[in-house]
Amino acid sequence: MRAGGRTSPRRPLPTLGWPRPADATAGAVTGLFSIPEGMAYAAIAGFNPVAGLYAGVVPAIVGSLTSRTVLMVTTLTSAIALTSQSVLSDAGLDPKDAGNVALLTVMVGAVMLLMGALRLGVVMSFVSNAVMTGFSTGIALQIITGVLKDATGYKPQGEIKLYQLGDWLVHVGDWQGAATAVAAATVAVWAAARSVRRLEPVALLLAMVVVSVGVFALSADVELVRDIADIPAALPSLTAPDLSVVPELVGGAFSVALVALAQAAGIAPSMPNPDGSRSDVNGDFRAQGYANLLGGLFQSLPSGGSMSRTGVAVSAGARTRWAGVFSGVFLALVVLVCGSLAERIPMPVIGGLILVVGGELVWGRRRDIVLVLRTSRLSSAAMVR
């Protein structure tokens, strides 16, 4: 079977359409999520956390304006961050050097553009539905396991995601009370808001704001965004790539690009275009290329289609590509105007809401998962892998 990201007649530029009111709300929620999530991913991989924050500005705006998968949000993911760190370390380059990061990001963008121009997205047409279902579900599971520590204060052990999930459940006695209570309260507020029809589009935002204010009022002892790094009250500045190390990063740029494009390929089947248009894998390749070419010049780490950030946008009511654009603009405004307030967002709040988003992604694919499991053992094995 063909994957969800099918090719379509090539148009020079995607149609932009008009934004909906819900897109503004979805953009605000996604922009706020980009603060702790982007900084955490960058910090875990040994980069300057601010570079992860800035990955939610220019790449998100450019990627959303040019992608063929309308709701896809282009930004930093944990896999991209870790792969980028490995590439720079193997080349003997400092991952915190702005010139090195800028060069790698620009080169990743060039590789993505090249693959889109050569229409190599056709390879995705031969990927079975079982594999794509497994890939999408695997990303959702990765999203869930990635925030278990934020939600409960306990970091699960093991390399396999299912093993980590089991380890986390077995060690429920090691969960931190305050963090777990805050995450649970976040999910509860989200569920309560979601049950009211008028509040459903802003349920994620309400949960984030209400519980964050409650944590501040009660002086709860939980990890905050500012414990990762300070948020500078400044927009990303123009940064020149260090062209002297191009030879060392050629192979690595291909590696990072392939990881990013593989992750993004799972978004189109999970998030169909609301306007009924068909996604175009090659168009998405090019869109991510543009996002990295420009983002690399403005202090961004390499970026790609993010399942978690796209899931947040969709859960918050995104209807057009403008939700991703608004997320980048809103993030820039927050950083510029009220970064000190954003530093007070509790990490367990983000953990709780990401658990909700990851759970919704798995639930949304439940019929495909059941269908694959019933089809054949071979298809089931392909999905599990």
Side-chain angles (χ1 to χ4, degrees):
M1 294 178 65
R2 292 171 66 87
R6 298 173 175 83
T7 58
S8 59
R10 182 174 178 178
R11 300 186 301 271
L13 288 173
T15 55
L16 297 182
W18 293 97
R20 309 278 183 86
D23 292 324
T25 301
V29 173
T30 309
L32 286 174
F33 265 80
S34 294
I35 295 172
E37 196 170 51
M39 294 174 71
Y41 289 161
I44 290 171
F47 290 102
N48 182 344
V50 176
L53 177 69
Y54 287 155
V57 181
V58 174
I61 294 172
V62 175
S64 292
L65 285 174
T66 56
S67 67
R68 303 292 180 171
T69 299
V70 172
L71 300 180
M72 184 173 73
V73 178
T74 303
T75 187
L76 179 68
T77 70
S78 58
I80 295 174
L82 292 170
T83 305
S84 299
Q85 190 276 338
S86 177
V87 165
L88 289 172
S89 296
D90 289 346
L93 302 174
D94 183 3
K96 291 188 177 180
D97 183 279
N100 293 338
V101 173
L103 178 63
L104 177 60
T105 305
V106 169
M107 290 180 67
V108 168
V111 171
M112 290 173 164
L113 278 177
L114 177 63
M115 294 182 72
L118 295 176
R119 305 190 67 76
L120 296 181
V122 69
V123 174
M124 300 305 301
S125 300
F126 299 100
V127 180
S128 71
N129 181 61
V131 171
M132 290 307 300
T133 297
F135 190 72
S136 300
T137 306
I139 292 176
L141 182 61
Q142 185 179 52
I143 291 169
I144 291 172
T145 56
V147 297
L148 294 179
K149 179 182 180 297
D150 292 332
T152 62
Y154 173 74
K155 183 177 181 180
Q157 305 301 308
E159 298 295 329
I160 301 173
K161 298 304 178 184
L162 285 175
Y163 181 89
Q164 289 180 9
L165 186 60
D167 180 76
W168 177 72
L169 292 171
V170 168
H171 289 84
V172 63
D174 294 326
W175 296 2
Q176 294 178 7
T180 304
V182 170
T186 303
V187 175
V189 173
W190 168 82
R194 185 77 180 269
S195 65
V196 180
R197 187 166 184 175
R198 290 186 177 182
L199 297 181
E200 185 175 356
V202 294
L204 287 173
L205 182 59
L206 277 176
M208 181 183 293
V209 173
V210 169
V211 180
S212 294
V213 171
V215 169
F216 175 73
L218 297 174
S219 299
D221 184 18
V222 296
E223 186 180 25
L224 305 177
V225 169
R226 68 185 178 192
D227 295 324
I228 300 175
D230 295 330
I231 297 178
L235 296 177
S237 59
L238 185 65
T239 302
D242 182 1
L243 300 179
S244 65
V245 293
V246 168
E248 287 89 341
L249 294 180
V250 173
F254 274 90
S255 298
V256 176
L258 290 174
V259 168
L261 295 176
Q263 284 192 306
I267 295 177
S270 302
M271 315 287 182
N273 291 344
D275 59 5
S277 62
R278 300 180 102 184
S279 298
D280 177 5
V281 178
N282 295 303
D284 287 343
F285 281 10
R286 295 191 296 272
Q288 292 169 85
Y290 298 139
N292 280 287
L293 281 177
L294 287 177
L297 299 178
F298 291 93
Q299 298 181 270
S300 169
L301 283 166
S303 302
S306 168
M307 180 71 84
S308 64
R309 229 69 61 88
T310 304
V312 168
V314 172
S315 296
R319 297 301 301 163
T320 74
R321 66 178 68 251
W322 288 99
V325 176
F326 289 149
S327 75
V329 173
F330 184 80
L331 174 58
L333 291 175
V334 169
V335 169
L336 192 61
V337 178
C338 51
S340 59
L341 287 178
E343 290 177 353
R344 295 180 179 273
I345 298 176
M347 294 305 295
V349 170
I350 300 300
L353 293 180
I354 290 294
L355 287 177
V356 167
V357 171
E360 286 191 319
L361 289 173
V362 174
W363 184 250
R365 302 285 291 182
R366 66 189 184 281
R367 291 186 177 85
D368 289 334
I369 294 172
V370 172
L371 178 62
V372 171
L373 290 174
R374 288 178 175 176
T375 301
S376 69
R377 291 183 179 179
L378 184 60
S379 296
S380 299
M383 181 182 73
V384 171
R385 283 183 175 275

